Amino acid sequence: MDRRPTIYDVAQAAGVAASTVSRAFARPGRVKAETARRIFDAAEQLGYRTTTLPGLVSSRTRTLALVVTDITNPFYADIIRGAHEAAHELGYTLLLSHTQEDAQLEREWTERELGAVEGVLLASSRMSDSAIRMMAKQKPVVVLNRRLPEVPSILVDNARGIRRAVEHLTELGHETVTYVAGPEASWTDGARWLGLREAAIELDLRVRRIGPCNTPTVHAGFGRAREVVAAGSTAVIAYNDAVAIGVLKGLNRLGVPVPEAVSVIGFDNTLLSEIIEPELTTVAAPLQAMGATAVKNLVAMIGGAVPSREPIVMPARLVVRRSTGQRSRKSVSPALGTTKVSGSASAAVRSTESGSR
């Protein structure tokens, strides 16, 4: 009677050790792509059953992984909604994970789940380029909010969005802008800062940068308010809405009115931007459409479609609300002696700063 093939049969056929076969199925990202493919091909030829090692997927699971860096960030709500609806329409289930802005945790979780899904969506990934490329050799991968050669990507038109924000501020008479940066590992943060510098040169605007906010939350933005005041700019552009709202609240705590003394602009047009007082001017993008487009492209790749080498770029637009206004003729920098900051307010902001880092 013919016996069922074992892990040792697969190892012999692929010309590797049995431990390498085990590792290829359990954690594919830890094995070279060429070696892993040789192992998978040998397993398929021998009829090695998926039940022998749970990581092997020889049948369709109809499951996609969606990995986000922080599920509490409102930015991801519309992306998740769009992805979920598109996946449902196409007969797929989403396996959702958030990785706490931690590149190592993101890599470990995604590698562990590779065997259980047909494709992976990485939203604002903090992993290295090489780690993502390795993953893309194992399973179809689409990255959002990041441009990476050889891996299909979907981006927001950051250059256009930041330029519209800068044009709006110059129309209001502002000549100096402070950018409150996001996470150091964020590709989007780098793209926005580059776009701001380029627009500032063209429009004769002086720009400063403070940060980073490696956890880009309201709390982090609040903790940067004193630095914003010290910078002396009459306008602020923040990495996202959450950071912008934190800055706005911090400025109010310091007795610096928005927009009378300082104008504030965010990014993403999340629900929070309409709830805060004053309502936040922000750069908006079709995030729900981005999530849906990512799923549709990923499913097409699973079906054998060859993705475009050029990224898909989603349009950005400026939503003007009440957090921006005409430039004040008075400086807001305490160093210049034109704005007084109470001791209690200073202590409150220093306390928040120490707790947000």
Side-chain angles (χ1 to χ4, degrees):
M1 182 180 295
D2 292 338
R3 64 179 179 83
R4 293 176 60 183
T6 69
I7 190 173
Y8 300 101
D9 297 321
V10 176
Q12 183 177 10
V16 298
S19 60
T20 305
V21 175
S22 177
R23 188 164 59 253
F25 289 125
R27 304 188 70 181
R30 296 295 187 186
V31 178
K32 289 184 178 180
E34 298 79 2
T35 303
R37 178 49 51 200
R38 196 163 70 248
I39 291 169
F40 297 152
D41 289 345
E44 185 175 356
Q45 292 170 7
L46 291 171
Y48 194 75
R49 303 294 296 176
T50 61
T51 52
T52 308
L53 280 174
L56 177 59
V57 179
S58 61
S59 60
R60 302 287 295 275
T61 66
R62 310 296 294 185
T63 302
L64 308 174
L66 172 57
V67 186
V68 302
T69 56
D70 181 3
I71 202 168
T72 66
N73 186 338
F75 165 76
Y76 293 110
D78 283 341
I79 290 178
I80 294 170
R81 182 182 297 112
H84 178 268
E85 291 176 357
H88 179 72
E89 290 175 3
L90 295 169
Y92 279 78
T93 298
L94 276 185
L95 184 61
L96 178 64
S97 175
H98 93 114
T99 56
Q100 305 170 35
E101 296 283 352
D102 187 317
Q104 184 61 32
L105 180 62
E106 179 181 357
R107 179 169 181 169
E108 290 175 357
W109 184 91
T110 309
E111 287 176 348
R112 186 168 61 248
E113 299 301 326
L114 274 182
V117 300
E118 294 185 35
V120 179
L121 301 168
L122 297 174
S124 305
S125 176
R126 304 301 186 229
M127 289 190 293
S128 66
D129 290 357
S130 59
I132 296 175
R133 289 193 185 99
M134 177 67 73
M135 206 166 286
K137 291 178 180 179
Q138 307 297 320
K139 289 288 176 73
V141 172
V142 173
V143 294
L144 290 78
N145 307 311
R146 180 167 174 172
R147 183 167 189 163
L148 184 61
E150 302 173 10
V151 180
S153 58
I154 303 177
L155 313 173
V156 173
D157 192 345
N158 286 292
R160 177 176 175 80
I162 201 79
R163 184 177 179 86
R164 287 294 302 118
V166 171
E167 288 174 344
H168 174 61
L169 292 174
T170 56
E171 289 166 1
L172 294 172
H174 295 277
E175 298 175 349
T176 56
V177 175
T178 293
Y179 177 68
V180 184
E184 291 177 282
S186 168
W187 182 91
T188 297
D189 180 72
R192 288 174 181 169
W193 173 237
L194 176 61
L196 175 57
R197 287 190 299 168
E198 291 177 345
I201 291 172
E202 292 183 25
L203 298 173
D204 196 24
L205 199 70
R206 297 192 302 278
V207 296
R208 299 176 175 87
R209 176 187 174 102
I210 62 175
C213 296
N214 283 318
T215 303
T217 61
V218 172
H219 192 69
F222 189 92
R224 295 291 179 178
R226 173 165 288 281
E227 293 176 69
V228 168
V229 173
S233 300
T234 60
V236 171
I237 298 177
Y239 166 74
N240 65 8
D241 285 349
V243 173
I245 290 168
V247 169
L248 191 155
K249 290 173 69 67
L251 291 175
N252 285 337
R253 177 69 66 86
L254 289 167
V256 179
V258 175
E260 291 80 6
V262 177
S263 290
V264 179
I265 297 178
F267 259 89
D268 303 330
N269 195 32
T270 59
L271 179 62
L272 294 177
S273 64
E274 298 183 80
I275 295 175
I276 189 68
E277 179 62 34
E279 295 178 349
L280 184 68
T281 296
T282 183
V283 177
L287 301 179
Q288 188 167 338
M290 174 182 279
T293 301
V295 165
K296 292 174 182 177
N297 282 20
L298 184 61
V299 171
M301 291 167 59
I302 292 169
V306 178
S308 170
R309 290 182 175 272
E310 292 300 315
I312 297 173
V313 181
M314 311 298 284
R317 62 188 177 88
L318 185 69
V319 179
V320 178
R321 298 194 179 102
R322 295 190 298 111
S323 68
T324 48
Q326 290 290 330
R327 175 174 72 95
S328 170
R329 296 298 171 180
K330 295 181 179 180
S331 169
V332 297
S333 172
L336 299 180
T338 56
T339 296
K340 294 183 179 179
V341 182
S342 68
S344 60
S346 300
V349 172
R350 283 197 298 273
S351 174
T352 305
E353 285 177 333
S354 62
S356 67
R357 292 177 181 171

